[in-house]
Amino acid sequence: MYFYTVFIIRLDVTLSDAGQNMRSISMIFFAVFASPAMAASYATCILDKAPAAQNDVAAHAIMQSCLAEHPGGIEAIPQGSGRGALGFKSGAECTAKKAVDTRSNQAATLVAIACRRLYDTDWEGGVLTPPPAK
């Protein structure tokens, strides 16, 4: 799933030919950026709500709420679907940013799972594998 962000940039240019005739030209540029995985999904629901959880009971309620909104859960999200120009570079970077102030261990775990699903690409059978030895 993708959201598209459109930026409209107006550039005013003044041109002169031989210093006599001045013409003003307005140019409009459209820049379109696709931002994957920002569409509503179980993972984005967790990333939006779980970092605020103050305890494990609240984290469990958030998980149930996100599952009710997105019945496919984490399995419905394609692995690595959050990667892109505007997203995190890795699941670890996402987890470090999103879970840093989370007081609940369960919420932090939910955040880590969502981040790894969205931003890591090397999952095999649901288990994160280390990079191959060189």
Side-chain angles (χ1 to χ4, degrees):
M1 295 184 179
Y2 290 85
F3 272 129
Y4 292 93
T5 305
V6 178
F7 293 98
I8 301 171
I9 303 167
R10 181 178 174 187
L11 178 64
D12 291 322
V13 178
T14 303
L15 302 174
S16 68
D17 50 23
Q20 296 177 6
N21 297 328
M22 301 286 269
R23 290 181 286 166
S24 206
I25 299 174
S26 290
M27 292 181 263
I28 298 177
F29 296 96
F30 292 93
V32 178
F33 295 99
S35 178
M38 290 302 113
S41 71
Y42 173 80
T44 57
C45 180
I46 291 294
L47 293 180
D48 289 344
K49 297 176 181 179
Q54 297 294 306
N55 56 60
D56 290 344
V57 173
H60 188 74
I62 289 167
M63 181 185 70
Q64 288 176 320
S65 171
C66 289
L67 279 173
E69 290 177 33
H70 309 283
I74 200 77
E75 296 301 319
I77 302 163
Q79 184 64 44
S81 62
R83 297 182 68 87
L86 303 177
F88 292 102
K89 293 178 183 151
S90 69
E93 180 186 1
C94 170
T95 302
K97 171 118 173 131
K98 295 285 191 174
V100 69
D101 293 325
T102 304
R103 294 185 56 166
S104 162
N105 285 336
Q106 185 175 4
T109 300
L110 290 170
V111 167
I113 291 167
C115 285
R116 291 191 184 282
R117 176 61 77 148
L118 289 172
Y119 301 108
D120 285 346
T121 58
D122 55 347
W123 283 71
E124 292 180 11
V127 177
L128 186 63
T129 58
K134 295 181 181 179

